[in-house]
Amino acid sequence: MSSINASFVQNMSIVRPEYFFITGLSGIPYSSYYYIFLCVTYFIAVIGNSAVLIIIAMERSLHSPKYIGVFNLALADLGETNAWIPNTIKIFLSDSQYMSYNACLANMFFVNLFVTLQSATLVVLAFDRYIAICLPLRYHAIVNNTVMSLVFVVVWAFNTSLVALTASLMTQLSFCKSNVVQSYYCDYGAVLRMACNDNRINMFLTNLIVALFLVAPLIIIVLSYMGIVFALSKITTWEARLKALQTCVSHLLLVVSFFLPVICIFIASLVISLPPNARVISGSLSLSLPPMLNPIIYVLNTAEIRVLIQKLLKNRIVPIRKNISK
């Protein structure tokens, strides 16, 4: 009976605000222009990633393990972009910076889910490049459509379960001091720091997610490319080395666009104390730029997609020219 009473008292003591106040950019003149910039990046990201998804889905020649990974990354980019930019623009351009408690939990869940999916997908694509270059004769035996599909089913299931657990445990926290979130969306870290009761389990899961989806992926990708460089060093001709290395350029650019902003923010926060507005701008850029840049990287550095787009444009332009000549 005493344990039941203790549980009841604990549940009664949990304080949940009806709304959270999202600060965003504060005290900066013409800040609305920055949100317009985010709107532009949003439309570029949505159009670009949607085009990549449609091209891969429609073109049978792209139904290969590598492009299953590219498809998953474009899907994660599209999900991440839609998880926070439209809501952020709506909040700040309409001067209504309040977000309900449940909407806040949903916001942090979807943003964290798609960010972890982006990171995991880059690791899978690094594995694909490692096997293709280091074990070319065994590539089709190790990496095929079935294996790649199963890998991403496991990734989606694991990431969804872990992120859902972290979001659900937020309901056990009390927010009795403030409901002001120093961020541009319902940021998990910013909300967690506002809790006024024991949050050790939440902090453990936060550190676990950082280790699993930021530190470990970066280490694995670096090690995979060290193996690739070692394998390339055994190739006798420079032409063959460059040809093999060119297949990694797109993935390397994707890795740089995802990890470099995060690393720069982390180093900057260690060296100096970033003001709130600087954290908002740097954090929002680190989330908005990779989904916008990734489709451009696919098109410019992936010969198969580039050739398909050229064929589509040619098929569109030729009938138009014929009609004009008539």
Side-chain angles (χ1 to χ4, degrees):
M1 179 66 74
S2 60
S3 63
I4 296 175
N5 290 335
S7 176
F8 178 76
V9 171
Q10 184 180 7
N11 290 334
M12 289 293 292
S13 64
I14 294 176
V15 178
R16 297 173 185 168
E18 186 177 357
Y19 295 95
F20 286 105
F21 182 85
I22 314 298
T23 59
L25 292 173
S26 57
I28 296 181
Y30 309 112
S31 60
S32 59
Y33 289 110
Y34 182 71
Y35 296 114
I36 293 172
F37 164 75
L38 287 180
C39 189
V40 173
T41 64
Y42 170 75
F43 282 111
I44 294 174
V46 168
I47 293 170
N49 285 292
S50 297
V52 170
L53 290 173
I54 293 170
I55 290 171
I56 295 176
M58 299 290 289
E59 182 58 40
R60 293 186 62 85
S61 64
L62 299 180
H63 294 178
S64 62
K66 174 185 173 182
Y67 287 104
I68 290 175
V70 173
F71 184 92
N72 194 81
L73 183 60
L75 191 62
D77 286 343
L78 194 61
E80 184 250 279
T81 301
N82 280 289
W84 74 274
I85 293 184
N87 196 57
T88 298
I89 293 171
K90 175 186 173 184
I91 286 175
F92 294 107
L93 291 185
S94 64
D95 290 328
S96 177
Q97 295 173 241
Y98 289 95
M99 183 181 293
S100 69
Y101 180 84
N102 289 331
C104 178
L105 294 181
N107 188 221
M108 70 172 62
F109 167 77
F110 284 110
V111 172
N112 290 343
L113 171 62
F114 289 115
V115 169
T116 60
L117 287 171
Q118 289 169 326
S119 176
T121 302
L122 290 174
V123 174
V124 176
L125 288 172
F127 171 76
D128 173 81
R129 291 300 85 206
Y130 175 83
I131 299 298
I133 294 174
C134 298
L135 302 169
L137 298 179
R138 298 182 59 192
Y139 176 78
H140 293 291
I142 298 173
V143 182
N144 53 56
N145 289 356
T146 302
V147 170
M148 192 65 82
S149 299
L150 287 174
V151 166
F152 280 115
V153 167
V154 172
V155 166
W156 275 81
F158 177 77
N159 289 27
T160 302
S161 301
L162 184 58
V163 175
L165 177 63
T166 59
S168 64
L169 286 175
M170 292 294 287
T171 60
Q172 303 303 310
L173 299 179
S174 287
F175 303 95
C176 48
K177 296 179 181 179
S178 174
N179 68 336
V180 178
V181 181
Q182 298 285 342
S183 187
Y184 51 97
Y185 75 104
C186 209
D187 190 350
Y188 181 86
V191 175
L192 183 59
R193 287 191 292 270
M194 293 160 49
C196 55
N197 61 343
D198 188 3
N199 62 356
R200 283 176 295 179
I201 296 177
N202 304 77
M203 289 300 299
F204 170 77
L205 287 174
T206 301
N207 294 330
L208 179 63
I209 289 177
V210 170
L212 287 177
F213 298 109
L214 184 60
V215 179
L218 195 56
I219 293 172
I220 293 170
I221 291 170
V222 169
L223 290 176
S224 69
Y225 274 99
M226 289 175 62
I228 288 172
V229 170
F230 180 74
L232 292 177
S233 66
K234 295 182 178 181
I235 300 176
T236 55
T237 63
W238 279 101
E239 291 80 4
R241 291 178 185 176
L242 289 175
K243 185 177 179 181
L245 190 59
Q246 283 176 351
T247 64
C248 301
V249 171
S250 295
H251 180 257
L252 281 171
L253 291 174
L254 297 176
V255 170
V256 169
S257 71
F258 181 83
F259 286 103
L260 185 60
V262 178
I263 293 172
C264 290
I265 294 171
F266 179 74
I267 294 174
S269 63
L270 291 177
V271 176
I272 58 173
S273 179
L274 291 175
N277 286 330
R279 287 199 300 268
V280 167
I281 292 174
S282 59
S284 58
L285 287 177
S286 70
L287 283 183
S288 62
L289 291 182
M292 182 189 73
L293 294 175
N294 289 350
I296 300 172
I297 293 171
Y298 302 144
V299 173
L300 294 181
N301 291 283
T302 307
E304 297 92 336
I305 293 180
R306 193 166 61 247
V307 169
L308 282 171
I309 291 176
Q310 289 173 352
K311 286 182 179 179
L312 289 172
L313 292 175
K314 185 178 180 181
N315 292 336
R316 293 280 186 182
I317 293 172
V318 170
I320 293 172
R321 287 180 176 175
K322 288 181 178 179
N323 292 330
I324 293 174
S325 62
K326 290 180 181 179

